[in-house]
Amino acid sequence: MTRASLDKQPHEVASMFDGVAANYDLTNDVLSLGQSRLWRKEVAKAVGARPGHTVLDLAAGTATSSLPFAATGAYVVPCDFSLGMLREGKKRHAWLPLTAGDATKLPFRDDVFDTVTISFGLRNVQDTDAALRELYRVTKPGGQVVICEFSQPTWAPLRTVYTEYLMRALPPVARAVSSNPEAYVYLAESIREWPDQPALAALLQKAGWSKVAWRNLSGGIVTLHRGSKA
């Protein structure tokens, strides 16, 4: 699968991420020009994990994103549907409870987690609405969702430069550092076609989340969305 215009068949997306698992974290650091680490720090602040809290880290990949939550003493469950990613994560972080799961059919009971979070994974789910409803279902009343996802730069000149980077510069860079560069052609296109900030906020509200808000990072290249469960 290389075209974002195609339906996101779960087995194809999982296979794609299996193919990039080995160098995934390094590739992200290079392609984001080092910004991915800053974005992860902002997610950790928004989640606000602390001892006694339960956190679901969906689309956790190799579980690198889960480490800041675990470091606070919270109980974090890294969940992903790419077995290749989970295997790689288990090699590095064997002590974490890495769990295989589909975002549209999560293997958890209702009202389990204080916070559910997903970074750079929601746009790869076949049914965004179903995933947002599932995240709502497994969140405790009074809990929150934190979504970090690529979005639309708010400044027109930056938006133009960013789009050019995605479609022209990113694929050759990916070929140099990624174990499966073709996957990054799909990823670039999926970013370009993803809903903007107000559109994603509307989807969150539709799924039942209240107090929905967002904050732009890096000029809107990435956006942090938040919502609460009453």
Side-chain angles (χ1 to χ4, degrees):
M1 181 177 66
T2 57
R3 305 295 297 184
S5 58
L6 298 178
D7 290 337
K8 299 166 188 168
Q9 298 301 322
H11 68 282
E12 292 181 331
V13 176
S15 176
M16 179 186 71
F17 279 99
D18 289 348
V20 299
N23 295 325
Y24 185 70
D25 295 321
L26 170 63
T27 304
N28 284 348
D29 279 344
V30 173
L31 294 179
S32 70
L33 307 179
Q35 291 294 293
S36 61
R37 298 185 183 191
L38 168 65
W39 299 333
R40 282 197 294 269
K41 288 181 180 177
E42 292 301 319
V43 171
K45 290 179 187 177
V47 168
R50 58 184 185 269
H53 266 213
T54 52
V55 178
L56 171 63
D57 186 15
L58 188 57
T62 62
T64 297
S65 59
S66 303
L67 297 178
F69 313 137
T72 68
Y75 181 76
V76 56
V77 178
C79 183
D80 203 284
F81 73 164
S82 165
L83 296 181
M85 285 286 195
L86 292 172
R87 290 189 191 101
E88 191 66 28
K90 202 65 178 176
K91 292 177 188 176
R92 305 178 191 180
H93 319 296
W95 51 278
L96 285 172
L98 286 92
T99 303
D102 184 334
T104 63
K105 299 175 183 177
L106 291 172
F108 308 107
R109 298 192 307 272
D110 297 355
D111 307 329
V112 173
F113 297 99
D114 293 291
T115 298
V116 293
T117 183
I118 180 170
S119 295
F120 309 113
L122 188 60
R123 73 183 189 284
N124 298 315
V125 177
Q126 186 179 36
D127 188 336
T128 304
D129 291 333
L132 293 176
R133 289 194 301 268
E134 275 290 272
L135 287 171
Y136 186 88
R137 178 183 66 79
V138 302
T139 301
K140 295 177 182 178
Q144 66 167 345
V145 63
V146 176
I147 297 171
C148 185
E149 188 54 88
F150 290 107
S151 197
Q152 299 296 322
T154 54
W155 188 44
L158 175 60
R159 188 161 57 245
T160 300
V161 171
Y162 176 59
T163 302
E164 288 294 308
Y165 170 72
L166 280 177
M167 304 316 300
R168 296 190 182 186
L170 187 149
V173 174
R175 279 194 290 274
V177 296
S178 172
S179 53
N180 184 9
E182 290 78 14
Y184 285 87
V185 176
Y186 158 77
L187 291 174
E189 293 181 350
S190 71
I191 292 168
R192 189 175 63 175
E193 295 192 5
W194 184 246
D196 63 11
Q197 292 89 327
L200 182 53
L203 292 179
L204 278 160
Q205 291 172 328
K206 179 182 174 184
W209 296 98
S210 59
K211 300 179 182 177
V212 173
W214 73 81
R215 180 163 63 91
N216 290 320
L217 305 176
S218 303
I221 289 174
V222 165
T223 302
L224 274 180
H225 286 262
R226 300 178 70 171
S228 300
K229 180 173 178 176

